[in-house]
């Protein structure tokens, strides 16, 4: 039988440190409260030391890591807020509910800093789509995201998806949210004034989600399906009422702080607002609206029931706050007050159930971890000398689930509600959202688990580089990053080494560009306990960019004949590429290495070409390389292209490498004014070449006069457009 300490998920060393801090043995409720906040999910005890290496400041940064959402100044008195969350374990056992409540959680984070949510993004990872289990997960995760986001009226505007067998039992469901607020109306989650009232608003508290933070802080096992009680129950209609009611409450004044009830529930929310404010709280649990009346104090404190927010309200403002909440029929209850004693005091009908120093609960001791280079990196196979026919290889890549159209996914989302969406999914490399002053916000999230598996440092830097490239491809300047770092068990030195390397790579690129990291999330224990198999390292970056001017450019070649340019250099970087892994069945080679200095020059040049109207189509090169990117530009209008590979700025490479290398920093552009376009690229000192022209009905690659590969646009479009839909039919 598990001890109370083991039930709380604490080690004996951690339990000893608690006893020393308190000078006594905690009771069961106190152990549960500490366990919820000291879980890996809530405390970041294995990652916090490394995360300090990330650059987090900048001229636009208003709120950085440590708050419920980051915030950056976008001009005209407005700020954009950003956050990313995951619901991996819940989605693995209940994909619909897990994904839906993931959306609910990230919306609360955006609400917690006083902003209104304006857009959602999702980043999804599943096993081989040939697996019935993976298709079941994908189908229901997408349903959960669509069902919740569509109901609350927040558009899902962008995302990313990958398939790999390592995610078969541990799918990854990342959800990000963007919010908008006037700079002066940002609100923090710190209870700084004793005497203020603690008001719990929103849904009732039940047993759903009890122990959710602990569940997310251990490896999944064959028994995890029995832990569905750790998955919260979504209620998007209550969330919609909360969104509208809180906007009006904040506008009326009197709310000094706000905190969502996510991982750890009341345990986390109460301890963190008190610790950040240097105060204490005194709470009466008998006032908490309970769904099941026989709940214990421990259950009430660790429940993660959805759609709940904690408001810190000045005493004289409660009447006005309650009038607004009543108008929207949002339940509320005054559950306690802020004190000056620094303690977390929890009562039930007056009887003290827990009395703990708030800072002890909120500040888990950091855990030093051993790091060791994984043995698998010494076993990477060499690439075979024989390469298949390039035309056949291109066909195979276009129908690969990691490259094929995501239309089956994004057509289930409402991406235009709210009337801010200027560029819809599939039309360009990033989504664009209209801001109040006429500027636009570009958003995109990216990651590459194949690259990160073979070289986690380059995978970490590469996910930021790709997201920045996508933002630049719509004419925006990258202004902020939020990251999500997902790995296996951190107690495994090989897993922790990959985590450390990914953080270093991400930090190096962000410092060099430069672009600040204003928030993020770490998700460990994405590992099958029964097999000991961890997911591939999966760092993800969501980048926000600011675009001035109203000129919109998509990724598709316009009708008629235009010149085709490439900006950027192609290198011998096919390690863990889609071509090597999917076609040659090898992991060999060098993983693409981003160069922030050259990327910055290319980004600026592309922005100038878009802003001046010279570029009529822009698309970055990523998965599948130059050949796949060029093919994708032909599909929307059925306009083909013919290009000469011998003109590509590149290392000395064979044709298949020129076609399928995934080197960073490259853009394909179409233009009706090749001379002026060349002048802009030359002035920016960006490697470039005019490769050929658009037109016809074929995608053709030559080397001088010799044909290298050729695929009809109609055939290529059918392969790319139908692969995922046919799999999910």
């Amino acid at each position: 039988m598990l001890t109370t300490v083991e039930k709380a998920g604490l080690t004996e060393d951690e339990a000893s440190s608690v006893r020393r801090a308190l000078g006594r043995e905690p009771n069961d409720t106190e152990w549960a409260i500490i366990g919820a906040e000291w879980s890996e999910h809530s405390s970041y005890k294995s990652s916090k030391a490394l995360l300090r290496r990330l650059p987090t400041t900048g001229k636009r940064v208003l709120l950085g890591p440590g708050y419920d959402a980051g915030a950056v100044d976008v001009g005209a008195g407005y700020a954009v807020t950003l956050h990313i969350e995951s619901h991996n374990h819940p989605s693995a056992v209940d994909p619909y509910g897990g994904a839906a409540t993931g959306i609910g959680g990230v919306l609360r984070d955006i609400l917690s800093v006083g902003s209104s949510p304006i857009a959602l993004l999702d980043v999804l990872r599943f096993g081989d789509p040939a697996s019935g289990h993976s298709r079941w997960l994908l189908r229901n995760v997408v349903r959960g995201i669509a069902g919740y986001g569509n109901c609350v009226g927040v558009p899902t505007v962008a995302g990313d998806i990958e398939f790999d067998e390592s995610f078969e039992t541990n799918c990854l469901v990342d959800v990000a949210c963007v919010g908008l607020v006037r700079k002066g109306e940002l609100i923090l989650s710190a209870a700084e004034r004793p005497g203020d009232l603690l008001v719990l608003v929103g849904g009732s508290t039940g047993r759903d989600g009890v122990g959710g933070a602990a569940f997310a802080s251990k490896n999944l096992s064959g028994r995890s399906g029995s832990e569905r009680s750790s998955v919260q129950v979504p209620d998007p209609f209550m969330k919609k009422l909360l969104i509208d009611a809180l906007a009006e409450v904040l506008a009326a004044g009197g709310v000094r702080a706000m905190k969502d009830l996510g991982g750890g529930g009341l345990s986390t929310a109460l301890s963190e607002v008190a610790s950040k404010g240097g105060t204490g709280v005194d709470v009466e649990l008998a006032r908490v609206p309970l769904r099941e009346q026989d709940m214990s104090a421990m259950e009430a404190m660790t429940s993660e029931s959805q759609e709940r927010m904690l408001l810190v309200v000045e005493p004289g403002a409660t009447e006005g706050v309650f009038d607004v909440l009543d108008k929207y029929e949002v339940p509320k209850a005054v559950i306690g007050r802020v004190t000056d004693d620094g303690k977390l005091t929890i009562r039930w009908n007056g009887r003290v159930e827990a009395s703990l120093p708030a800072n002890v609960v909120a500040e888990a001791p950091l855990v030093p971890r051993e790091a060791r280079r994984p043995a698998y990196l010494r076993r990477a196979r060499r690439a075979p000398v024989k390469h298949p026919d390039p035309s056949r290889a291109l066909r195979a890549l276009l129908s690969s689930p990691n490259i094929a159209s995501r239309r089956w996914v994004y057509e289930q989302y409402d991406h235009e509600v709210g009337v801010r969406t200027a560029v819809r999914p599939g039309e360009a490399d990033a989504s664009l959202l209209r801001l109040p002053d006429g500027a636009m916000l570009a958003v995109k999230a990216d990651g590459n688990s194949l690259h990160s598996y073979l070289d986690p440092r380059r995978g970490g830097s590469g996910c930021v580089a790709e997201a920045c490239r996508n933002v630049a491809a719509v004419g925006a300047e990258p202004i902020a990053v939020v990251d999500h770092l997902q790995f296996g068990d951190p107690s495994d030195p090989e897993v922790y080494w990959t985590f450390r390397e990914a953080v270093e790579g991400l930090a190096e690129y962000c410092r060099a560009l430069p672009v600040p990291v204003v928030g993020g999330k770490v998700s460990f224990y994405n590992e099958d306990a029964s097999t000991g198999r961890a997911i591939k390292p999966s760092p993800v970056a969501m980048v926000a960019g600011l675009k001035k001017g109203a000129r919109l450019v998509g990724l598709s070649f316009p009708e008629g004949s235009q010149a085709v340019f490439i900006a950027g250099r192609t290198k011998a970087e096919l390690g863990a590429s889609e071509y090597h892994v999917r076609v040659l069945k090898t992991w060999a080679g060098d993983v693409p290495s981003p160069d922030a200095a050259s990327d910055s020059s290319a980004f600026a040049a592309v922005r100038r070409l878009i802003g001046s109207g010279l570029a009529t189509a822009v698309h970055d090169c990523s998965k599948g390389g130059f050949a796949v990117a060029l093919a994708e530009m032909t599909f929307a209008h059925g306009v083909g292209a013919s290009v000469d590979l011998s003109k590509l700025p590149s290392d000395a490479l064979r044709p298949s490498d020129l076609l399928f290398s995934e080197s960073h920093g490259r853009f394909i552009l179409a233009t009706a004014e090749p001379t002026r376009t060349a002048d802009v690229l030359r002035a920016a000192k960006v490697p470039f070449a005019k490769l050929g022209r658009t037109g016809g009905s074929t995608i053709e690659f030559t080397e001088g006069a010799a044909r290298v590969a050729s695929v009809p646009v109609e055939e290529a479009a059918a392969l790319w457009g139908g692969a995922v839909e046919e799999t999910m039919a």
Side-chain angles (χ1 to χ4, degrees), residues 141-359:
V141 162
V142 170
R143 283 182 58 241
I145 293 170
Y148 199 103
N150 294 354
C151 284
V152 296
V154 180
T156 302
V157 299
D160 185 61
I161 188 167
E162 279 187 351
F163 299 92
D164 183 85
E165 59 183 8
S166 71
F167 304 118
E168 176 68 18
T169 57
N170 286 268
C171 63
L172 303 184
V173 178
D174 303 354
V175 288
C177 191
V178 180
L180 185 67
V181 65
R182 291 188 180 276
K183 285 196 302 181
E185 295 174 2
L186 283 166
I187 190 168
L188 304 183
S189 55
E192 298 177 333
R193 302 191 187 189
D196 281 351
L197 301 179
L198 302 170
V199 181
L200 185 62
V201 303
S204 57
T205 299
R207 288 193 173 94
D208 58 307
V210 169
F215 174 52
S217 303
K218 62 184 179 181
N219 297 327
L220 285 176
S221 69
R223 298 184 301 276
S224 295
S226 65
E227 298 191 69
R228 281 188 169 82
S229 62
S230 296
V231 182
Q232 306 93 335
V233 177
D235 185 352
F237 301 104
M238 175 57 72
K239 179 58 59 63
K240 174 60 176 169
L241 293 175
L242 267 177
I243 291 172
D244 294 342
L246 290 177
E248 192 168 329
V249 163
L250 294 176
V255 176
R256 299 200 206 268
M258 191 157 55
K259 176 74 177 169
D260 82 302
L261 270 70
L266 280 167
S267 297
T268 297
L270 292 168
S271 61
E272 290 184 5
V273 297
S275 179
K276 281 183 185 285
T279 57
V281 294
D282 193 317
V283 170
E284 174 54 74
L285 290 179
R287 299 176 186 169
V288 173
L290 298 177
R291 201 175 306 148
E292 295 107 331
Q293 296 306 309
D294 61 340
M295 289 178 68
S296 67
M298 179 169 57
E299 290 173 323
M301 286 297 294
T302 60
S303 167
E304 295 178 11
S305 293
Q306 288 286 285
E307 329 310 348
R308 299 180 301 160
M309 300 285 290
L310 180 70
L311 276 57
V312 181
V313 182
E314 57 180 294
T318 54
E319 183 177 353
V321 169
F322 282 14
D323 285 346
V324 174
L325 294 172
D326 287 341
K327 182 175 78 171
Y328 286 93
E329 298 183 356
V330 172
K332 79 284 182 188
V334 176
I335 63 169
R337 60 185 177 86
V338 180
T339 67
D340 61 2
D341 61 6
K343 289 186 177 181
L344 184 65
T345 302
I346 308 300
R347 307 174 190 272
W348 195 296
N349 289 320
R351 187 183 68 193
V352 175
E353 297 281 345
S355 179
L356 299 164
N359 64 332

Side-chain angles (χ1 to χ4, degrees), residues 368-423:
R369 298 289 190 186
E370 180 186 352
R372 183 176 65 247
R373 191 173 190 270
Y376 73 77
L377 292 177
R378 297 192 294 271
R379 299 193 294 268
R381 290 171 285 174
R382 291 191 174 191
V385 175
K386 185 174 177 60
H387 290 256
D389 171 66
S391 298
R392 182 161 60 87
L394 177 55
R395 288 180 172 92
L397 288 173
L398 289 171
S399 59
S400 165
N402 278 348
I403 288 175
S405 170
R406 275 69 176 111
R407 185 173 55 224
W408 180 89
V409 175
Y410 65 69
E411 283 189 345
Q412 298 185 52
Y413 303 149
D414 188 336
H415 43 259
E416 293 184 295
V417 63
V419 303
R420 291 189 184 277
T421 308
V423 173

Side-chain angles (χ1 to χ4, degrees), residues 94-123:
D94 178 3
Y96 182 91
T101 50
I103 293 288
V106 78
L107 286 169
R108 288 195 307 276
D109 289 317
I110 293 297
L111 291 171
S112 293
V113 294
S115 60
S116 298
I118 61 171
L120 292 162
L121 301 85
D122 57 14
V123 180

